[in-house]
Amino acid sequence: MMIWTNMAIPNGLFRTLTFEVATAGVNWTNLNEEIKESGLFLPLDPSPKALIGGVVATNCSGTNALRYGTMKDYVVNLTVVLADGSIIKTRHRPRKTSAGYNLNSLFTGSEGTLGIVTEATLKLAIIPDSFSVATATFPTIRAAADAATKMIRSGVPLAALELMDDAQMGVVNKNGGAGGRMWQEKTTLFLKFSGTKSSVEDNVRLARHVAKAFRCNTFEAATDQKEMDSLWAARKQALWASLAIRPEGTQIWSTDAAVPISRMAELIQACKERAEKLGLVTSVLGHVGDGNFHQMVMYDPRSPEQVQATKKCVEIMMEKAIEMEGTVSGEHGTGLGKKHCLLKELGPETIGLMRAMKNTLDPMWLLNPGKVFDE
Amino acid sequence: MMIWTNMAIPNGLFRTLTFEVATAGVNWTNLNEEIKESGLFLPLDPSPKALIGGVVATNCSGTNALRYGTMKDYVVNLTVVLADGSIIKTRHRPRKTSAGYNLNSLFTGSEGTLGIVTEATLKLAIIPDSFSVATATFPTIRAAADAATKMIRSGVPLAALELMDDAQMGVVNKNGGAGGRMWQEKTTLFLKFSGTKSSVEDNVRLARHVAKAFRCNTFEAATDQKEMDSLWAARKQALWASLAIRPEGTQIWSTDAAVPISRMAELIQACKERAEKLGLVTSVLGHVGDGNFHQMVMYDPRSPEQVQATKKCVEIMMEKAIEMEGTVSGEHGTGLGKKHCLLKELGPETIGLMRAMKNTLDPMWLLNPGKVFDE
């Protein structure tokens, strides 16, 4: 792995620095480990196994997107192999540019359908001085979602704002708890704060104030690293807990949607009600600060009724997200499974434009064919 | 003008809110006036005459780009008329999305060559609590540029960081001064700070410390609105002063480039020396916090020698910017005048890809034909 650092530039809250990643196969956690002495990091938080090439191809994000944005915000230039075998570089290394079309944003998130990213020059963010983590439990999912919306609207500066519903907290407990403890099986908000020591303290106070106004049952905050890890553990292990405790032979269908934050509580509520009516075991887990959440549905692939009900449940979530002027994917991408939803979301003209671009860049549909939309 | 506000969402330092602009013909200063009661604003700072459609088409920026980024960072969705007369909408209104190709960033900055933007849904930033403005004069342009680089590298949180050289300060004085005063004819940094009252005070102190370390002659700061306006006036009126004082019949050739900030001082210095050798009257004015600066060359269009020397001067600036891994346009775009420079910057393969996209979206080259690259 070749990394080459040469400049630090500020960008909003965080200082950024460009560096060059020699190959797309660099793991982002290894990268952050390697550069930590510089005081800088790539602030996305996707799966620990993700590689830079994949992070670019999917416009990755995660729990830090609320504060730091998604991968598109960190790409300075890309080296891309096109379908005809030619190799292009999208740009040099200026911090700001208005020269030509924005090819960085075209390739970032194109799911490998337009070219193969082999190299990236990236911005980095400065590692904040101080952190805090807090959790708050609520009597209802509505109260938790409304509290989350209020924190966002009133401008409490948060680094992350995640929600897990009572069912998901139950899953964590069934798996033996997390962070060395068992958890209340109530809808829980997980909050992260970062900045200077005094600003972190101020912001925890503001968040506690909002949580109380929405009748939170508990509000716990920690600044000690061990306690922070313990408080964040339930969130961190949520997906693995779901996979670990499912009865043998069952599968988890994990999907996501994103809507304007004003509609988020309503969407989560509606999805949970419909899932219950369909007799499904589901849980909700979300980057609610971005109006983006995941629904995890457990189903037995050997039962045609359960498969049918699960598909129906996901379809309803997608339709409602579209009705609410949202998107059928906040961060999971389109792939094969959501092609028909994307068509509904954007309409045939907009998809037609994307397809025309695909035809131009890859006329023989060699690159990840059949993803995002049909030929 | 129809504006529809519905949600506030945080994004790094600034809270943002989406709203809908009914037409691309809305002036951005009128827009900010109309929405100021909401405590939010569109934080770009281009020409006061710019309209939203043009701001999107050129990926506009200005003195606030250091803190707030450029127009691409504020587009949630666009309505676009394509060359075949069809009308598309790029997205709905999710805060975060990974569904389909990023058409927002494709049209933003495409200089009207791919479609006509008729509507935009935009993010807004929260108006900061407190501001300060400072100016610092330096014995040499190198000292000023180095001080600017140091401020950026050491992470002093600045809202704007602008430079005017001794020649440009002389131009302001020749035009009768600015802000009710005459100015020292020395290279001057213009700094803006914003945030909470205490953070602004801290940051002014940090900036003063760096300026002194680079032997600034003077450092003046103001927080009173009238004094701030007075300090900022020379920067604000720089372009108009240049236009006003030029001898009858002469023209100003204003151009820009952007490089990694580590190379900026070197580039400015080299450009000034070459301009002097060519016998030209030039001045420098820059968004130096972004590694982006403007050179203004005065020339008499009736003198073939002066026209030739001016062209040569601009070419040298472009060549040096490319050598330094920068771009031939940080914010002015490509248009007609920089097509050949863009080709040099990006190479025929990358330009070929852009041209292929143009051919796909506008096969008859109806939209702003001949701009950005040749047919």
Side-chain angles (χ1 to χ4, degrees):
Chain A
M1 184 169 69
M2 193 270 290
I3 298 171
W4 163 52
T5 60
N6 84 319
M7 65 172 191
I9 45 181
N11 188 2
L13 258 187
F14 41 96
R15 201 168 57 162
T16 55
L17 179 139
T18 61
F19 71 100
E20 192 140 346
V21 177
T23 67
V26 171
N27 172 280
W28 74 272
T29 53
N30 291 349
L31 170 68
N32 278 344
E33 188 56 32
E34 190 135 339
I35 62 177
K36 73 179 179 194
E37 295 300 316
S38 68
L40 296 147
F41 73 130
L42 182 66
L44 307 171
D45 181 32
S47 156
K49 292 184 178 173
L51 309 181
I52 293 297
V55 166
V56 171
T58 57
N59 188 23
C60 241
S61 49
T63 62
N64 292 345
L66 178 66
R67 169 153 172 191
Y68 289 102
T70 61
M71 190 58 173
K72 70 178 187 324
D73 303 315
Y74 292 88
V75 173
V76 173
N77 70 45
L78 297 171
T79 306
V80 185
V81 181
L82 300 179
D84 65 2
S86 61
I87 298 170
I88 62 154
K89 191 146 187 171
T90 54
R91 296 204 174 285
H92 288 178
R93 301 190 298 115
R95 168 172 158 76
K96 191 168 101 175
T97 174
S98 67
Y101 302 161
N102 187 344
L103 299 181
N104 288 338
S105 290
L106 180 68
F107 289 108
T108 303
S110 65
E111 303 188 22
T113 61
L114 298 178
I116 298 166
V117 171
T118 58
E119 249 185 356
T121 301
L122 302 175
K123 289 186 191 176
L124 297 174
I126 199 165
I127 299 172
D129 294 341
S130 191
F131 292 93
S132 178
V133 165
T135 59
T137 57
F138 290 84
T140 63
I141 195 161
R142 184 86 210 193
D146 285 345
T149 306
K150 179 69 180 176
M151 286 178 199
I152 297 299
R153 286 193 164 186
S154 55
V156 181
L158 296 162
L161 176 53
E162 303 279 310
L163 175 148
M164 286 165 59
D165 71 354
D166 49 352
Q168 188 62 49
M169 297 308 292
V171 164
V172 170
N173 283 344
K174 259 188 216 144
N175 195 39
R181 60 189 270 184
M182 301 301 279
W183 295 74
Q184 284 192 50
E185 295 186 13
K186 286 183 189 302
T187 299
T188 306
L189 290 182
F190 292 79
L191 301 98
K192 256 192 207 166
F193 306 84
S194 63
T196 60
K197 198 161 178 292
S198 63
S199 72
V200 165
E201 283 166 9
D202 284 352
N203 298 337
V204 171
R205 196 159 40 237
L206 285 169
R208 188 192 299 268
H209 180 73
V210 174
K212 285 199 173 162
F214 285 85
R215 298 168 291 116
C216 67
N217 301 106
T218 59
F219 187 100
E220 276 186 81
T223 49
D224 170 78
Q225 188 62 48
K226 209 173 144 192
E227 284 173 42
M228 287 196 289
D229 289 347
S230 168
L231 276 186
W232 198 254
R235 172 63 192 88
K236 202 171 180 71
Q237 294 168 25
L239 177 62
W240 316 118
S242 298
L243 294 172
I245 63 124
R246 69 183 195 271
E248 205 177 312
T250 60
Q251 300 276 354
I252 302 284
W253 191 313
S254 169
T255 191
D256 87 314
V259 290
I261 202 158
S262 54
R263 309 298 298 271
M264 189 187 54
E266 189 185 342
L267 179 61
I268 293 178
Q269 190 68 38
C271 288
K272 279 184 74 79
E273 281 166 14
R274 290 305 294 255
E276 255 172 52
K277 275 190 195 156
L278 287 162
L280 293 166
V281 177
T282 64
S283 59
V284 163
L285 169 70
H287 312 309
V288 290
D290 286 317
N292 176 211
F293 76 97
H294 304 278
Q295 187 169 225
M296 295 206 272
V297 189
M298 195 172 70
Y299 69 101
D300 186 335
R302 294 159 300 189
S303 154
E305 293 77 22
Q306 277 196 29
V307 171
Q308 208 48 43
T310 302
K311 279 189 180 167
K312 178 85 190 158
C313 178
V314 173
E315 287 300 318
I316 288 167
M317 180 175 169
M318 296 304 121
E319 273 165 28
K320 288 209 172 289
I322 294 171
E323 265 173 45
M324 293 177 183
E325 299 184 85
T327 178
V328 298
S329 182
E331 59 173 28
H332 280 191
T334 307
L336 291 168
K338 286 190 176 170
K339 285 194 287 192
H340 66 291
C341 305
L342 185 66
L343 183 61
K344 275 188 211 162
E345 178 184 332
L346 299 179
E349 290 82 9
T350 303
I351 294 292
L353 175 56
M354 293 180 185
R355 190 183 286 118
M357 286 161 59
K358 166 76 174 166
N359 283 332
T360 303
L361 268 74
D362 179 18
M364 297 177 70
W365 285 57
L366 301 171
L367 301 168
N368 217 3
K371 303 290 164 58
V372 188
F373 39 72
D374 289 318
E375 195 165 341
Chain B
M1 182 171 70
M2 194 269 292
I3 298 172
W4 164 54
T5 61
N6 83 321
M7 64 172 193
I9 47 181
N11 189 2
L13 258 188
F14 40 95
R15 204 168 57 161
T16 55
L17 179 141
T18 61
F19 71 99
E20 192 139 346
V21 177
T23 66
V26 171
N27 172 280
W28 74 272
T29 53
N30 291 348
L31 171 68
N32 278 345
E33 187 58 31
E34 189 135 339
I35 62 178
K36 72 178 178 194
E37 294 301 314
S38 68
L40 296 146
F41 74 129
L42 181 67
L44 308 171
D45 181 32
S47 156
K49 290 184 178 173
L51 308 182
I52 293 297
V55 167
V56 171
T58 58
N59 187 26
C60 240
S61 50
T63 62
N64 292 345
L66 178 65
R67 169 154 173 192
Y68 290 103
T70 62
M71 190 59 172
K72 71 178 186 324
D73 303 315
Y74 293 87
V75 173
V76 173
N77 70 46
L78 298 170
T79 306
V80 185
V81 181
L82 300 179
D84 65 2
S86 61
I87 298 170
I88 62 155
K89 193 147 185 170
T90 53
R91 296 204 175 283
H92 288 180
R93 299 191 299 114
R95 168 172 158 76
K96 191 167 102 176
T97 175
S98 67
Y101 301 161
N102 187 345
L103 299 181
N104 288 338
S105 290
L106 181 68
F107 288 109
T108 303
S110 65
E111 303 188 23
T113 60
L114 298 177
I116 298 166
V117 171
T118 59
E119 248 184 358
T121 302
L122 302 176
K123 289 186 191 176
L124 296 175
I126 200 164
I127 299 171
D129 294 342
S130 191
F131 292 92
S132 178
V133 164
T135 58
T137 56
F138 290 84
T140 63
I141 195 162
R142 183 87 210 193
D146 284 344
T149 304
K150 179 70 180 175
M151 285 178 200
I152 298 298
R153 287 193 163 186
S154 55
V156 180
L158 296 162
L161 175 53
E162 303 278 310
L163 175 149
M164 286 166 60
D165 72 353
D166 50 351
Q168 188 62 49
M169 297 307 294
V171 165
V172 170
N173 283 345
K174 258 187 218 144
N175 195 38
R181 59 191 270 185
M182 300 303 277
W183 296 74
Q184 282 193 51
E185 296 185 13
K186 286 183 189 299
T187 298
T188 306
L189 289 182
F190 292 79
L191 302 98
K192 257 192 207 166
F193 306 85
S194 63
T196 59
K197 198 162 178 293
S198 64
S199 73
V200 166
E201 283 166 8
D202 284 352
N203 299 336
V204 172
R205 195 159 40 238
L206 286 169
R208 187 193 299 267
H209 180 73
V210 174
K212 284 197 173 162
F214 285 85
R215 297 169 291 117
C216 67
N217 301 106
T218 58
F219 187 99
E220 276 186 81
T223 49
D224 170 78
Q225 187 63 48
K226 210 173 145 193
E227 283 173 43
M228 286 196 290
D229 290 347
S230 168
L231 276 187
W232 199 254
R235 171 62 191 88
K236 201 170 181 72
Q237 293 167 27
L239 177 62
W240 316 118
S242 297
L243 294 172
I245 63 124
R246 69 182 194 273
E248 206 177 313
T250 61
Q251 301 276 352
I252 302 284
W253 190 314
S254 170
T255 191
D256 87 316
V259 289
I261 203 159
S262 54
R263 310 297 298 271
M264 190 187 53
E266 188 185 343
L267 180 60
I268 293 178
Q269 190 68 37
C271 288
K272 279 184 74 79
E273 282 167 13
R274 290 305 294 256
E276 255 171 53
K277 274 190 197 157
L278 287 162
L280 294 166
V281 177
T282 65
S283 59
V284 163
L285 168 71
H287 312 309
V288 289
D290 287 317
N292 176 212
F293 77 96
H294 304 277
Q295 186 169 225
M296 296 205 274
V297 188
M298 196 173 70
Y299 69 102
D300 187 334
R302 296 158 300 191
S303 154
E305 292 76 24
Q306 278 197 29
V307 171
Q308 207 50 41
T310 302
K311 279 188 180 168
K312 179 85 190 158
C313 178
V314 173
E315 287 300 319
I316 289 167
M317 179 175 169
M318 296 303 121
E319 273 165 30
K320 288 208 171 290
I322 294 171
E323 264 173 47
M324 293 177 184
E325 298 184 84
T327 178
V328 297
S329 181
E331 60 174 27
H332 279 192
T334 307
L336 292 169
K338 286 189 176 171
K339 286 194 286 191
H340 66 290
C341 306
L342 185 66
L343 182 62
K344 275 187 212 164
E345 178 184 332
L346 300 180
E349 291 80 9
T350 303
I351 294 292
L353 176 56
M354 293 180 185
R355 189 184 286 117
M357 287 161 59
K358 166 75 174 168
N359 282 332
T360 303
L361 268 74
D362 179 18
M364 297 175 70
W365 285 58
L366 301 171
L367 300 167
N368 218 3
K371 302 288 164 59
V372 187
F373 39 72
D374 288 318
E375 196 164 341

